Amino acid sequence: HRHLLELLKRTMIHGESNSALIVGPRGSGKTVLLNHALQDLKQMKQVRGNLLEVHLNGNDKVALKEITRQLQLENVVGDKVFGSFAENLAFLLEALKKGDRTRSCPILFVLDEFDLFVHHKNQALLYNLLDVSQSAQTPVTVIGLTCRLDILELLEKRVKSRFSHRQIYMMNSFDFKQYLKIFQEQLSLPAGFPDEPFAQKWNSNVQHLSEDKTVQDVLQDLFHYTKDLRSLHLLLMLAVSTVTVRHPLITALDLQEASKQYRMDSKANIVHGLSVLEICLIIAMKHLNEVYEGEPFNFQMVYNEFQKFIQRKAHCMYNFEKPVVMKAFEHLLQLELVKPLERPSIRVQREYLLMKLLLDSTQIMEALQLYPNCPTDVKQWAESSLSWL
């Protein structure tokens, strides 16, 4: 926070241009950090004038329209036609200049989903924005937000050379013990709550819940599925919405029901309409998730897992050819039950593209219970421990 605030201060007070990346997994607080820094910046006495903010989100095509709209330069641009992106951007920035560098209005460009801009043709937007941030014109700071840790490797040389290489890392590094503490803090009522006796009773109940084995199991499931605190907030919101005058305190059962409600999404329902082969691939991915503790996998690993099952356990499953299995896997991708971690490129073979399963173990098992005519061998494979591998 201090580092980011200092960077923004130098843009506002000294008219310095700069660039930085805030990197971390989804839900680690990248946007919250930036918003807090901007809020603190606006309250500083030595900061005079306004910082113009432009927020762009992964879409190159509408970027110039958005820059024009957010900087309120529609009248200046009018019907002018520009030869290139760079010309248009230069014109927009020129229109904001009031004189020399010290009196120019500083601009902050916030690029959310920074990694999506990397995949656009010639990385034109990134190149031009970072190029402007290095020039001695209007003070411009470019802040990118991304969940890709390898983002610098994806930048073209000319873009990389204009980037400051300043990175701020945000990590969800808390363990389950701290997660339980966060659960308590989020659910507890503050000291100034008007009804003090009720607040004491409520907080005592929250303390009791955090020690309850059933509640801990529910939270452990969510913790292993995602450390994103927004998911925890949603779970708690569903539980708190059951509170009434007759039912003033949350119970372990409420949290269990909230957990079922939270997981009861369209993805689990899609499983009921899959073929047996597609179900087998999902079970193979489930086992891979358990073996490698949620690490990403690729198609080849899933195929190998499926082959182990065919050779050792299955008496009712046909051994499909690899292209047929690949087609079934691609269908799961289309249904968004599996998600690639990066965009497919020519350099990476389809079999080795890293993927993530978007269903957790409980969702899969519950869906299998409702799956019509599921072969016994397949069910047993899903339920089996890792010892058979």
Side-chain angles (χ1 to χ4, degrees):
H1 177 271
R2 191 172 67 246
H3 189 73
L4 186 60
L5 188 59
E6 188 58 39
L7 188 126
L8 295 170
K9 243 168 70 181
R10 288 205 295 269
T11 303
M12 281 295 286
I13 298 165
H14 307 297
E16 282 182 24
S17 291
N18 232 314
S19 57
L21 276 174
I22 305 174
V23 185
R26 295 195 188 282
S28 56
K30 299 184 290 294
T31 306
V32 173
L33 169 70
L34 181 62
N35 290 343
H36 271 286
L38 286 169
Q39 212 174 343
D40 291 350
L41 184 77
K42 286 163 190 170
Q43 289 168 358
M44 286 184 167
K45 288 177 184 175
Q46 65 263 53
V47 172
R48 290 177 186 177
N50 291 326
L51 174 71
L52 295 175
E53 292 175 39
V54 178
H55 294 260
L56 304 173
N57 192 324
N59 195 330
D60 231 2
K61 289 176 184 172
V62 297
L64 280 170
K65 281 183 186 173
E66 276 300 297
I67 293 168
T68 308
R69 185 185 66 80
Q70 291 184 44
L71 294 177
Q72 297 175 1
L73 293 173
E74 290 94 340
N75 294 339
V76 179
V77 174
D79 297 323
K80 286 186 175 63
V81 178
F82 298 96
S84 69
F85 186 98
E87 274 180 41
N88 199 336
L89 185 64
F91 178 81
L92 291 174
L93 296 175
E94 193 64 34
L96 291 164
K97 288 179 72 177
K98 295 178 184 174
D100 60 35
R101 185 178 176 81
T102 54
R103 285 187 293 162
S104 290
C105 203
I107 309 171
L108 170 68
F109 284 96
V110 178
L111 306 184
D112 215 345
E113 305 286 357
F114 184 86
D115 43 294
L116 294 184
F117 289 108
V118 167
H119 298 292
H120 295 150
K121 194 184 176 185
N122 303 330
Q123 299 182 358
L125 179 87
L126 295 181
Y127 172 75
N128 286 292
L129 283 181
L130 292 170
D131 192 47
V132 164
S133 75
Q134 280 203 336
S135 66
Q137 297 171 357
T138 310
V140 170
T141 287
V142 180
I143 303 285
L145 285 80
T146 180
C147 51
R148 288 289 298 265
L149 296 175
D150 61 343
I151 190 67
L152 287 186
E153 303 305 314
L154 304 175
L155 296 178
E156 287 181 6
K157 275 186 183 177
R158 63 180 192 145
V159 178
K160 205 185 277 190
S161 67
R162 281 159 178 78
F163 176 57
S164 69
H165 288 256
R166 185 180 282 105
Q167 294 184 80
I168 298 166
Y169 286 97
M170 305 281 288
M171 294 294 168
N172 284 336
S173 55
F174 47 79
D175 57 18
F176 184 65
K177 211 173 180 181
Q178 289 165 304
Y179 190 73
L180 267 178
K181 205 175 175 188
I182 293 167
F183 162 78
Q184 264 184 273
E185 285 168 1
Q186 295 297 309
L187 212 48
S188 297
L189 291 171
F193 191 75
D195 189 340
E196 205 176 310
F198 176 75
Q200 283 177 352
K201 201 187 288 183
W202 175 275
N203 290 347
S204 168
N205 181 57
V206 170
Q207 173 67 39
H208 174 70
L209 283 174
S210 68
E211 292 161 6
D212 187 288
K213 177 75 171 69
T214 311
V215 173
Q216 286 187 6
D217 287 346
V218 167
L219 294 175
Q220 193 115 34
D221 276 354
L222 187 62
F223 178 75
H224 287 310
Y225 178 57
T226 173
K227 285 187 176 183
D228 188 343
L229 292 179
R230 288 173 294 195
S231 299
L232 177 65
H233 292 157
L234 178 57
L235 179 80
L236 298 184
M237 186 270 287
L238 290 169
V240 169
S241 65
T242 63
V243 171
T244 61
V245 175
R246 290 181 181 178
H247 180 69
L249 301 173
I250 294 174
T251 64
L253 191 65
D254 292 334
L255 278 157
Q256 261 186 327
E257 285 303 311
S259 178
K260 277 182 192 171
Q261 216 176 324
Y262 171 78
R263 290 200 306 267
M264 191 179 64
D265 57 2
S266 56
K267 285 189 173 63
N269 294 332
I270 289 169
V271 176
H272 303 153
L274 298 178
S275 68
V276 176
L277 172 58
E278 288 162 346
I279 289 280
C280 285
L281 294 182
I282 283 178
I283 294 168
M285 289 182 252
K286 170 186 174 286
H287 282 306
L288 285 170
N289 267 348
E290 288 164 0
V291 174
Y292 298 108
E293 297 178 341
E295 288 295 308
F297 49 81
N298 57 41
F299 168 74
Q300 189 59 48
M301 291 163 74
V302 176
Y303 182 71
N304 293 344
E305 203 68 28
F306 175 62
Q307 284 300 304
K308 282 184 200 173
F309 167 61
I310 293 293
Q311 288 157 17
R312 297 189 191 188
K313 286 278 175 179
H315 307 298
C316 59
M317 273 297 290
Y318 176 72
N319 192 3
F320 294 93
E321 293 294 322
K322 194 173 181 180
V324 177
V325 181
M326 171 63 97
K327 203 167 184 182
F329 189 79
E330 283 175 348
H331 185 228
L332 296 177
L333 270 168
Q334 287 166 5
L335 293 172
E336 294 185 357
L337 296 175
V338 186
K339 178 189 172 188
L341 289 190
E342 55 190 45
R343 288 197 175 191
S345 69
I346 304 161
R347 288 173 290 181
V348 183
Q349 283 180 277
R350 284 188 309 169
E351 290 96 323
Y352 301 104
L353 198 66
L354 288 176
M355 306 277 176
K356 186 178 180 177
L357 180 63
L358 299 180
L359 292 163
D360 66 25
S361 189
T362 316
Q363 279 176 306
I364 295 166
M365 295 314 294
E366 283 176 4
L368 275 176
Q369 296 307 316
L370 301 168
Y371 188 82
N373 307 319
C374 184
T376 311
D377 281 341
V378 174
K379 266 191 180 175
Q380 285 174 350
W381 180 37
E383 289 163 3
S384 67
S385 66
L386 302 176
S387 58
W388 73 276
L389 291 170

